Amino acid sequence: MIDVKTADELVRRYCIKLETELVELHGLNGRVLSSPIKSARLQPPFDRVAMDGIAIRFEDRSQNSFEIKGIQKAGSPPLKVNSKNVAIEIMTGAPLPEGFDTVIPYERIKIVNGKATL
């Protein structure tokens, strides 16, 4: 058995140095990237909702009923709601409105006359 330093030196001495080349997209199968691909920004650049339902503030969770203040659609800019103890109906893929941090799926609520009840 050899020590780590010797093993490291052997690997570096006998490591095969591969050349890099530009290849068309259709010819990439079975190849290895020479450097990682990184995005210049987060994708998507907002907190995206993964289910239909209502968005609330976690701090308001002890309530049983929430007045619905609007509908946040996918592809629309985030709604701005300053009221506390309210909900926003929200669609899958929509941005989570500022200040809201919890989504409750439709299967766990009942909506009647603009109020969502848990």
Side-chain angles (χ1 to χ4, degrees):
M1 189 155 167
I2 59 174
D3 60 85
V4 173
K5 183 179 177 188
T6 304
D8 186 55
E9 289 172 0
L10 288 170
V11 168
R12 291 178 191 279
R13 185 180 321 148
Y14 294 106
C15 182
I16 299 171
K17 305 284 187 208
L18 300 175
E19 300 285 323
T20 60
E21 61 181 324
L22 292 176
V23 180
E24 294 288 329
L25 188 61
H26 60 80
L28 295 179
N29 192 23
R31 294 180 175 267
V32 177
L33 290 173
S34 64
S35 60
I37 297 176
K38 294 183 179 180
S39 174
R41 64 183 173 106
L42 294 175
Q43 288 294 348
F46 55 85
D47 289 331
R48 183 175 52 199
V49 174
M51 68 186 83
D52 292 338
I54 60 167
I56 64 168
R57 292 174 175 88
F58 185 74
E59 65 191 42
D60 300 335
R61 70 191 179 281
S62 61
Q63 284 190 207
N64 189 37
S65 181
F66 298 87
E67 181 184 354
I68 295 177
K69 286 291 194 178
I71 299 175
Q72 180 66 63
K73 298 176 181 176
S76 297
L79 295 174
K80 296 190 187 300
V81 178
N82 295 325
S83 308
K84 298 247 182 210
N85 303 318
V86 297
I88 300 287
E89 276 194 79
I90 198 152
M91 297 178 174
T92 301
L96 192 62
E98 187 175 323
F100 291 79
D101 54 9
T102 304
V103 176
I104 302 170
Y106 279 127
E107 295 81 8
R108 297 185 181 239
I109 61 173
K110 186 180 220 176
I111 299 176
V112 177
N113 296 328
K115 283 205 173 243
T117 305
L118 303 180

